[in-house]
Amino acid sequence: MRKRALALTMCASMLLASLAGCGSVKTRNEVVGTTTAASGQESAGTSTTAGQPIDIQLLFYSSNEDLANILRDQLTKAGFNIKLNMQPDYSSYKTQLAAGNYDMDITGWTTVTGNPDYAVRSLFKTGGDYNTSPIADPKVDELIEKAGTETPEEYKQTYSELEKYMVDEMAYIVPLNGSLKTQAINKKRLKPETVRLSKSRSMVWEAIEFQDGIDAQTEPLMLSQTISTLTSLDPIKGNDGSINMLNTNMYVRLVNLTDDDQVVADGSLSYNYAIADGNQNYYFLLRDDINFARVQDGHAVDSGVLVGAEDVVFSLERAKDKDSVPNHKTYSLHENIDTVSIVTDLSELENAKVSGSDESVKAALEKETPAAIASLTGDKTEVDNAGGVYQVVKVTTVNPFPQVLNYLAHQSAGIVDSEIIPQVNTYDINNFDIQKDICYGDQSTVTEGASYNNTLSCSGPYVLIKKNDYEVTFEANPAYRAGSEYAPHIQNVTVKFYKDLDSSLSGLRSGEIDVLYSIPENSYDLVRNAEDLVLQELPSNSASYCTFNLSGSSKCSDVTLRKAILAAINQEELLAVFNGTRTAIYSTVSPLVDTGNKMVFEPGKSQQLQAEYLSKQAQ
C-alpha cells in the first residue's frame, strides 16, 4: 500500500504543479502530506482557533488510505488535530464502527438498484439498515418518503432539498467523490463481449463464455474479491461487498436491471410484469423453467422443486419483516411493500388496467409467452405454461411507489426456498443465541471442516458448494433455464480471496483470475497497455463520503463542529489529486440525479466555525 500511495503522490504532484498558476488549486505539498496513515498515528495541526486544536479521530480501512491522507492534511491545515484509526480490512473497520471508536469515518455506498431512494433510505432514514451514525431526523424522513412517491420529474427538487438540508444545514455527511466502475478481462481466456459491465447490477456470471477451445464443463471461471468473511448467504441478511455479487448469482429475482439501469423481466423469474392504474399494484407472470438447486455429495443437483409463487410470497414477506431473521440488514428496502399475494382469479387480470393505458393487465402479461393465460393456480405443482396454466404474484405497496421495482431487482429480493428455510431456521427469533443457533446461509455451514453442512437451496444460475480461507467455489444450477440463452455457459466458478486490489491485479496479470471487478485507479494505463487484457469502464453509481458519530457522548453530535469539519474539505483539490479518475458529488444521490447542488470551499470558514464551537464549549 505504501508504494501505491507514493506513486499516487508523485502523479498528483505533477498534475497540481501545472495547475498552481490558476490560484484556486494548490500544489500537492499544500494539499496532501507524504506520511502514510497508520493505526493510531497523529498529525498535529497548527491551531487557528483559540485554545488547543480540536482532536478528531478518523476511522477508515486500508483501501481508503489515500482519501484518509488527503482528509488528514486538509483538516490539519484548518487547525484540527487528526488521529488516524486505520483498520486492515472491512470486518475490522465494522467492529470499530459498532464500538463507537471514532468521531468521523470514511465510508462509501453504491446504488446497486439504479434508483435514488436506495441511495438515501438505508443510510439516512431513522432506523435504516445502514444508518450507523445514527441520524434520527424527522425532516430527513419526511423528504425521503415524499421523494419515494414521486416521478423522476418531480423528485429532482425533493432530493435537492434533502441534500441541502443534510449537507448545508445539518452537516450529517461530508461528500468526497464519485468514481468510475471498471473491470479488466483476460481476453485470451474469455470472450470480452460476453462479460457485462452494468452501471448498477453486479457481474452476470451466466452470460460469460470462454474462448473457443476452453472446456466450459471442466475449466472453472476464476474471479476474485478482497473480503473473505461472508456476511450471509441468506439474501436478506447482508448488503455489502462480501456477498452482493455472490447472492446476486445464487438467487433469481422477479425483475432485473439492464446495464443502463432499466427495469426488465429479461433473465428473471417473470415472463413479464405490469403496473396497474394507481401505481400501487404490481403484477408478475412467473416462468416454469427454473427449479431450486441443492447440494448433494459436494455437487449441485436439480431438486425437482419448481421456484413458484409460494416461494415468492414467502421470500418477500420475510424481506419486508424486520423481525423475520436476526440481524436483518435489508428490511428498509422493502418496507414500502404492504402485501404480497398469489392471484388465482383470472378476471382480476382482465379487469385491471395498465397504468396510463387502456390495455388490460392480462394482455400485458401474456405477451411472448408459451401460450395465452387460460387459467391461474395457487399451487406450483399444477403449473403448465405450455398448456396455459400460470402463476401470477401481486405486490401491493403502502403508497404509490414506482421505485419498488428497482428494489425487487436487488439481491435482497432473491427468491428463496419456502420448504428449506423453515427447516434450517428452527430458532426462536426472540431468544436467538448466536453461540448455538444456526441460520440459513451462515458461512460456517459451507466452510470446509467439521462445521460443513451445506443446506443451501438456490433459485439462481449458481449454487455455492464450499468455502475455505482462500476461495469459494460454485457450480451451475442444472435446472436453471435449461436450453435457453440464460442457462449458465460455464459449469464451475471459483472466487479467490486476495488481501487487496493490487494483489488481485497481480493475480489477473499472472493468469490466476479471468476477470478483475474494480481496477486500482493508478493501474488503468497498465491494463490498457497489456496485450492480453481488456479494460471496461463507465461512470458508477458509487459515492465516497464521511459520516459522523452522532451518539450523545460524541463531540460530533454538535452541528457547529460538524460544519467546521465540512468547511475544511476542499473537494476541488481532493479531485485534482486523483487525476480525473474521480468526480464531484454532493451526496449519495449525485450519481443518479443532477440536483445542481455543488460543494464550494470558503477559506477561513472552518476556523470561524471552530471558534464558535469552542466558545460554546467554554460557556
Side-chain angles (χ1 to χ4, degrees):
M1 288 302 295
R2 184 174 179 82
K3 290 181 179 178
R4 177 184 170 199
L6 291 175
L8 179 63
T9 301
M10 293 174 65
C11 293
S13 297
M14 291 186 287
L15 171 69
L16 292 176
S18 67
L19 296 175
C22 298
S24 61
V25 180
K26 300 182 186 299
T27 67
R28 169 69 172 182
N29 288 336
E30 293 175 304
V31 180
V32 183
T34 57
T35 304
T36 301
S39 179
Q41 181 179 351
E42 297 186 15
S43 298
T46 301
S47 177
T48 55
T49 59
Q52 294 298 312
I54 302 169
D55 291 337
I56 298 294
Q57 182 178 187
L58 176 62
L59 172 65
F60 61 100
Y61 60 103
S62 56
S63 63
N64 282 322
E65 186 176 13
D66 296 332
L67 272 177
N69 283 329
I70 297 170
L71 294 182
R72 174 202 60 191
D73 291 337
Q74 289 193 352
L75 289 165
T76 298
K77 284 186 171 71
F80 290 99
N81 186 45
I82 305 304
K83 301 180 178 181
L84 298 179
N85 181 1
M86 184 174 78
Q87 295 301 308
D89 51 45
Y90 182 74
S91 179
S92 302
Y93 158 80
K94 292 291 287 184
T95 299
Q96 291 288 301
L97 195 70
N101 295 331
Y102 72 104
D103 295 310
M104 59 186 293
D105 75 295
I106 300 175
T107 188
W109 186 257
T110 301
T111 302
V112 295
T113 60
N115 63 312
D117 187 81
Y118 180 84
V120 294
R121 182 173 295 274
S122 285
L123 298 173
F124 310 127
K125 188 173 182 291
T126 302
D129 316 319
Y130 288 83
N131 184 351
T132 56
S133 294
I135 298 169
D137 189 317
K139 185 169 182 178
V140 171
D141 298 346
E142 177 187 347
L143 290 170
I144 289 174
E145 293 298 344
K146 178 184 177 184
T149 66
E150 296 175 330
T151 64
E153 294 76 18
E154 297 168 330
Y155 65 45
K156 180 176 180 179
Q157 179 57 41
T158 305
Y159 284 121
S160 176
E161 184 181 349
L162 173 65
E163 284 186 325
K164 288 179 180 177
Y165 179 73
M166 287 189 57
V167 179
D168 284 356
E169 290 189 44
M170 300 305 297
Y172 285 137
I173 65 170
V174 178
L176 299 177
N177 63 263
S179 63
L180 295 175
K181 186 174 185 179
T182 59
Q183 64 186 15
I185 303 161
N186 183 339
K187 64 182 180 182
K188 291 185 68 176
R189 292 260 301 165
L190 304 179
K191 296 178 179 179
E193 66 273 16
T194 68
V195 186
R196 293 170 52 181
L197 180 62
S198 304
K199 190 171 177 62
S200 297
R201 186 179 175 184
S202 191
M203 187 184 294
V204 183
W205 292 355
E206 69 266 28
I208 300 175
E209 297 182 38
F210 283 129
Q211 292 288 4
D212 296 339
I214 300 177
D215 189 351
Q217 295 304 305
T218 59
E219 188 73 10
L221 171 66
M222 302 299 294
L223 306 175
S224 68
Q225 67 180 42
T226 57
I227 306 176
S228 60
T229 300
L230 308 181
T231 301
S232 177
L233 302 168
D234 183 338
I236 66 172
K237 290 192 64 182
N239 190 19
D240 59 77
S242 75
I243 47 78
N244 278 343
M245 181 172 67
L246 311 187
N247 284 345
T248 296
N249 286 284
M250 288 170 60
Y251 301 96
V252 74
R253 295 158 299 283
L254 286 175
V255 287
N256 279 320
L257 294 178
T258 63
D259 292 346
D260 60 352
D261 287 349
Q262 302 303 305
V263 179
V264 294
D266 299 345
S268 75
L269 184 60
S270 307
Y271 285 111
N272 294 300
Y273 70 89
I275 307 173
D277 195 35
N279 294 337
Q280 279 188 267
N281 291 318
Y282 302 79
Y283 294 88
F284 303 87
L285 183 68
L286 304 191
R287 320 181 58 89
D288 68 350
D289 57 357
I290 301 175
N291 289 354
F292 287 103
R294 297 173 186 167
V295 179
Q296 182 176 312
D297 298 327
H299 293 286
V301 298
D302 177 2
S303 68
V305 178
L306 182 70
V307 181
E310 299 93 321
D311 304 297
V312 174
V313 172
F314 174 82
S315 300
L316 298 185
E317 287 286 356
R318 70 193 293 267
K320 74 185 185 74
D321 179 4
K322 181 179 181 180
D323 298 319
S324 62
V325 292
N327 200 30
H328 195 328
K329 284 293 185 182
T330 61
Y331 63 88
S332 71
L333 304 187
H334 307 290
E335 64 185 2
N336 279 289
I337 295 176
D338 185 16
T339 59
V340 186
S341 58
I342 302 173
V343 179
T344 55
D345 183 356
L346 189 58
S347 66
E348 179 176 342
L349 306 185
E350 294 169 335
N351 296 329
K353 299 298 181 184
V354 174
S355 180
S357 168
D358 290 330
E359 183 181 32
S360 72
V361 167
K362 178 177 181 292
L365 291 178
E366 62 187 359
K367 292 177 180 176
E368 300 182 16
T369 51
I373 304 173
S375 64
L376 301 176
T377 178
D379 183 348
K380 64 183 180 181
T381 65
E382 298 175 352
V383 171
D384 177 13
N385 291 175
V389 184
Y390 293 88
Q391 288 194 305
V392 169
V393 169
K394 179 173 68 172
V395 174
T396 301
T397 55
V398 177
N399 299 299
F401 188 65
Q403 293 190 58
V404 71
L405 291 170
N406 294 77
Y407 287 129
L408 293 176
H410 185 249
Q411 62 91 13
S412 63
I415 308 306
V416 296
D417 193 331
S418 59
E419 175 186 335
I420 291 296
I421 287 187
Q423 294 177 11
V424 176
N425 290 349
T426 57
Y427 53 78
D428 178 354
I429 188 68
N430 296 315
N431 298 297
F432 177 75
D433 185 346
I434 196 172
Q435 300 299 322
K436 65 181 182 67
D437 290 325
I438 297 295
C439 299
Y440 174 84
D442 280 0
Q443 73 162 346
S444 62
T445 63
V446 297
T447 300
E448 292 177 338
S451 66
Y452 185 87
N453 181 29
N454 194 330
T455 56
L456 294 177
S457 183
C458 296
S459 59
Y462 287 90
V463 58
L464 190 155
I465 302 300
K466 61 183 178 180
K467 174 189 181 293
N468 57 34
D469 292 339
Y470 310 102
E471 63 188 25
V472 57
T473 60
F474 298 80
E475 284 188 8
N477 178 351
Y480 185 86
R481 306 292 305 275
S484 77
E485 63 179 301
Y486 297 101
H489 291 281
I490 297 174
Q491 173 67 17
N492 302 294
V493 176
T494 297
V495 180
K496 294 178 67 68
F497 300 133
Y498 289 87
K499 65 178 182 178
D500 53 43
L501 284 178
D502 288 323
S503 301
S504 303
L505 180 59
S506 295
L508 177 72
R509 297 179 67 198
S510 67
E512 292 179 2
I513 56 176
D514 299 321
V515 183
L516 177 55
Y517 195 61
S518 187
I519 307 301
E521 291 165 318
N522 58 350
S523 299
Y524 289 173
D525 286 340
L526 179 66
V527 173
R528 292 188 184 107
N529 296 329
E531 182 179 354
D532 297 337
L533 303 180
V534 173
L535 180 68
Q536 296 179 332
E537 56 187 288
L538 51 72
S540 77
N541 286 345
S542 65
S544 295
Y545 58 101
C546 291
T547 62
F548 295 99
N549 184 345
L550 300 181
S551 65
S553 60
S554 170
K555 61 173 68 74
C556 288
S557 60
D558 186 284
V559 66
T560 304
L561 179 57
R562 297 199 302 272
K563 287 183 175 182
I565 293 171
L566 176 68
I569 304 306
N570 187 328
Q571 193 179 80
E572 183 181 358
E573 288 184 343
L574 182 151
L575 296 175
V577 172
F578 291 101
N579 198 23
T581 61
R582 302 197 184 188
T583 56
I585 65 166
Y586 196 77
S587 80
T588 49
V589 173
S590 298
L592 298 106
V593 181
D594 183 8
T595 62
N597 295 327
K598 298 183 184 300
M599 292 288 292
V600 178
F601 177 72
E602 298 179 37
K605 184 176 180 180
S606 177
Q607 288 83 351
Q608 176 186 343
L609 289 164
Q610 289 177 64
E612 291 179 15
Y613 168 75
L614 290 172
S615 177
K616 285 196 300 181
Q617 297 302 304
Q619 293 176 1

